[in-house]
Amino acid sequence: LEAELKKELANPTPVQMWAIAKAFEHGMDVEEVHELTSIDRWFLSKLHGLHMIKGTMKSMDFNQLRNQPELLKEAKLRGFSDRQIAALVSEPERMEYVASPALLPVDYGSLRYTGGPVSEAHIRHLRKKLGIVPVVKQIDTLAAEYPAETNYLYLTYSGEEHDVDLAGSEKQCSDVKVTDLTPAIPEPLTLKFQAQGSDSEEGESRIIVLGCGPYRIGSSVEFDWC
């Protein structure tokens, strides 16, 4: 296995990235992987950071993760999905669940964790309760030469506030100490706007083109997604 792993590391193939992850799991450090791959240590250190976060969450159960919101927020900043986190976090050996009148009605239901396998919905419910939600940022399509008004928007956890006004979203949710369940991003049907010169109270609905995946330098979102 070690010889096969080193062979994958030494050859730049589409699966080399997975070989790097496997190498970290087998105890190799950044310097060893650098010697085999010739990949810059800066990039390898970023991948090793992901490995460390993964290992930390893998050693925790759901209750321990709930008590460490900073770790959960860091995992979201680094790109871990709720499904990935749920697969890493283990089921607590002991659950002490007592219904409390202090809990909100939304706390009672399938999303609230009461024991058993941890699901994607449990992680999503937990981070929303902790206020760990993304903010909406705007891509400057004019390179700061003129004020950009085109709504090329993306979601990110690396932000403190929204770049655009969103109806139904009054808080920015950048502080992990927030514990209420008010969503930071409104539901699609609440995205209404009042057209200029219109007397309509309800306004008109906007159209949103949704695209999946990360935004990278060199990609043209208007062509890739439309």
Side-chain angles (χ1 to χ4, degrees):
L1 178 62
E2 183 177 352
E4 185 66 24
L5 182 58
K6 289 183 177 180
K7 180 181 177 181
E8 291 291 349
L9 291 172
N11 293 282
T13 66
V15 299
Q16 188 184 47
M17 188 69 66
W18 308 114
I20 294 174
K22 183 64 68 175
F24 289 144
E25 290 179 2
H26 280 72
M28 288 189 183
D29 57 23
V30 170
E31 189 61 34
E32 290 178 288
V33 177
H34 167 71
E35 291 295 329
L36 290 168
T37 63
S38 297
I39 297 176
D40 191 281
R41 296 177 182 86
W42 186 88
F43 293 104
L44 292 176
S45 66
K46 298 299 181 182
L47 296 177
H48 190 263
L50 297 176
H51 165 73
M52 296 298 292
I53 293 177
K54 177 181 177 180
T56 301
M57 292 192 295
K58 202 170 183 179
S59 66
M60 304 173 68
D61 62 31
F62 185 85
N63 290 337
Q64 292 171 323
L65 180 64
R66 177 162 46 194
N67 293 328
Q68 296 194 38
E70 294 82 4
L71 176 61
L72 180 56
K73 184 171 185 179
E74 182 65 23
K76 298 303 295 183
L77 282 169
R78 298 294 187 95
F80 284 85
S81 68
D82 294 342
R83 181 176 297 182
Q84 288 175 313
I85 297 173
L88 293 170
V89 177
S90 62
E91 176 184 346
E93 295 182 359
R94 183 179 180 183
M95 279 294 299
E96 295 181 358
Y97 172 71
V98 179
S100 170
L103 295 176
L104 298 175
V106 72
D107 284 324
Y108 300 101
S110 61
L111 298 185
R112 177 174 169 79
Y113 184 73
T114 58
V118 182
S119 70
E120 177 183 3
H122 294 141
I123 298 299
R124 183 174 185 271
H125 177 77
L126 172 62
R127 67 171 177 77
K128 290 185 69 177
K129 185 176 181 181
L130 294 172
I132 305 174
V133 292
V135 293
V136 177
K137 290 297 181 180
Q138 186 178 39
I139 298 173
D140 187 353
T141 56
L142 299 176
E145 186 174 359
Y146 302 100
E149 298 181 357
T150 306
N151 277 330
Y152 281 169
L153 308 175
Y154 65 97
L155 297 176
T156 178
Y157 288 86
S158 300
E160 300 296 327
E161 60 185 10
H162 299 308
D163 283 354
V164 294
D165 294 329
L166 297 176
S169 177
E170 297 180 355
K171 67 171 187 173
Q172 306 306 322
C173 294
S174 60
D175 187 354
V176 296
K177 295 181 180 179
V178 177
T179 56
D180 62 88
L181 291 168
T182 304
I185 299 174
E187 296 299 322
L189 292 180
T190 68
L191 290 175
K192 304 286 186 177
F193 76 100
Q194 186 72 29
Q196 294 183 354
S198 174
D199 296 331
S200 174
E201 295 183 359
E202 296 184 358
E204 300 178 13
S205 298
R206 295 181 177 183
I207 297 176
I208 301 178
V209 178
L210 296 178
C212 63
Y215 178 76
R216 298 186 178 93
I217 296 175
S219 65
S220 300
V221 292
E222 69 271 27
F223 300 117
D224 296 342
W225 291 353
C226 295

